[in-house]
Amino acid sequence: MKGNIIAALVLIIVGTLFLLRNLGFNVPGLGNLISTWWPAILIVVGLGLLFNRK
């Protein structure tokens, strides 16, 4: 259950950063990092969900 909460929070944060960037807000540093590494973030979240099954 804890893994699902963490995965949900990660997805909410990533989605919020992308939305802010699309709306024209300047998201310093972290937005550029996430926009570069979003495939790795999805892989990590997926692995977390896979291994936290009970």
Side-chain angles (χ1 to χ4, degrees):
M1 181 82 123
K2 184 179 178 184
N4 289 338
I5 293 171
I6 292 172
L9 289 175
V10 168
L11 291 175
I12 290 169
I13 291 169
V14 169
T16 301
L17 289 174
F18 279 125
L19 179 63
L20 289 173
R21 189 171 183 190
N22 286 339
L23 291 174
F25 291 97
N26 187 10
V27 182
L30 188 58
N32 292 331
L33 181 66
I34 289 176
S35 67
T36 302
W37 290 98
W38 68 269
I41 293 169
L42 291 178
I43 291 169
V44 169
V45 170
L47 287 172
L49 290 173
L50 181 66
F51 288 118
N52 283 333
R53 286 186 164 185
K54 292 183 178 180

